[in-house]
Amino acid sequence: MPRLADLAELVRAPAALSVPGDVVAGAAAAGTLGRRTPALAAASVLLYWAGMAANDWADRRLDAVERPERPIPSGRVAPAAALGLAAGLTAAGVALATAAGGRRAAAVAVPLAATVWGYDLAAKSTPAGPAVMAACRGLDVLLGATGGRVLRAVPAALTVAAHTWTVTALSRREVSGADAALPLRTLAGTALVAASAAVQPRPDQAGPGRRPRAATRSTPTDVPDRAPRPGPGVAALPALLAGWYAARYGAAQARAAADPCAGRVRAAVGAGITGLPALQGALAARAGAGLLGLAVAAAAPLGGRLARKVSPT
């Protein structure tokens, strides 16, 4: 039987801190934050861990050459155990999403699980790899939006997907190293992603969970049918969190551009994974869930500390 520590390394357990924020950002954008959100976030984590286990199972022969210290090639986790864990986590993730969100959640969870496995088994080593992984994260955001106005969550899904594309493009060179042009391109993409997350929605858009009331005959005691304008600090929160994300991830990419060796590229990938909660927090705050956005963003420094013990890449 593999040790719990070996299984945690197999699924890159600390990297799961970057996952619940997808669902929170989608739910906030769609106006459906509520009791189902934590369960959908947990389902998302299970599917993420499944993808990590399946990834190592699919790469077991390559890792025996490039990363012999990984759990499967080192003999600490048997290939059959890794595959069984991946399958079990997938089934559990889809089942939990369905139980929490019904058929609408299942309609996203099943394609999400299929895309995760498709990336691990077929797309990862092809030019389509970064786009397929980006689709996984985009679907993850939309999973949180099920039960609400899903179309409202599409901009947030595209923003997270674009970030994921940059991380995945870098990860393909974290063993061999890259030329300086790659981290420069992903750095430009990061700047665009951060700018997108910092933009405030139109004033006429309702906050999370708000729906416009039906028109009624006005009376002197009527309350205006709009949310009060946020104070300067609250209004600036998405930009502050997006700036933190850009500084954290962008600095690592700049160092990789200056010296694109494998170690610097791998560090940039790690920064992209552990820094994602700051971006998710900005998206949640942009949708009106400021305190929840701060809570999501707080996972970024925690993930960075845990990554020193278990690699997220």
Side-chain angles (χ1 to χ4, degrees), residues 59-86:
D59 282 356
R60 63 193 184 279
R61 294 183 179 86
L62 179 63
D63 284 346
V65 176
E66 294 184 345
R67 296 184 178 185
E69 73 281 0
R70 291 292 302 159
I72 295 178
S74 66
R76 290 177 287 136
V77 176
L83 182 60
L85 179 63

Side-chain angles (χ1 to χ4, degrees), residues 14 37 47 51 53 56 113 124 127-128 136 138 234 240 287 289 295:
T37 305
L47 293 174
D56 272 24
K124 179 169 51 180
C136 291
V234 176
L240 291 173

Side-chain angles (χ1 to χ4, degrees), residues 175-280:
V175 173
S176 62
D179 59 84
L182 175 60
L184 287 176
R185 288 196 300 269
T186 60
L187 181 57
T190 297
L192 292 174
V193 166
S196 173
V199 173
Q200 286 282 359
R202 296 191 309 270
D204 60 335
Q205 288 181 335
R210 292 180 59 86
R211 285 179 171 82
R213 296 184 302 180
T216 58
R217 182 177 300 174
S218 63
T219 67
T221 58
D222 280 346
V223 178
D225 189 20
R226 70 178 74 179
R229 291 185 179 181
V234 176
L237 186 56
L240 291 173
L241 292 178
W244 182 28
Y245 151 79
R248 182 185 180 94
Y249 183 29
Q253 292 172 89
R255 288 191 290 270
D259 179 11
C261 64
R264 289 283 181 89
V265 174
R266 190 157 51 247
V269 173
I273 294 172
T274 60
L276 176 56
L279 175 64
Q280 296 161 335

Side-chain angles (χ1 to χ4, degrees), residues 7-8 10-11 46 49-50 53-54 77 79-91 117:
L7 294 178
L10 178 74
V11 300
L46 293 175
W49 281 341
V77 176
L83 182 60
L85 179 63
L89 288 170
T90 300
W117 280 84

Side-chain angles (χ1 to χ4, degrees), residues 83-196:
L83 182 60
L85 179 63
L89 288 170
T90 300
V94 172
L96 180 56
T98 303
R103 284 184 289 183
R104 292 189 68 181
V108 176
V110 171
L112 171 57
T115 306
V116 168
W117 280 84
Y119 174 82
D120 288 333
L121 300 182
K124 179 169 51 180
S125 299
T126 72
V132 175
M133 180 54 72
C136 291
R137 281 288 189 168
L139 286 169
D140 205 31
V141 174
L142 296 180
L143 179 63
T146 53
R149 302 177 182 181
V150 177
L151 288 178
R152 279 188 157 185
V154 170
L158 292 175
T159 299
V160 172
H163 162 81
T164 305
W165 186 93
T166 68
V167 176
T168 309
L170 286 169
S171 72
R172 293 156 73 92
R173 296 292 181 266
E174 64 180 356
V175 173
S176 62
D179 59 84
L182 175 60
L184 287 176
R185 288 196 300 269
T186 60
L187 181 57
T190 297
L192 292 174
V193 166
S196 173

Side-chain angles (χ1 to χ4, degrees), residues 38-53:
L40 291 175
S44 175
V45 169
L46 293 175
L47 293 174
Y48 183 87
W49 281 341
M52 290 298 182

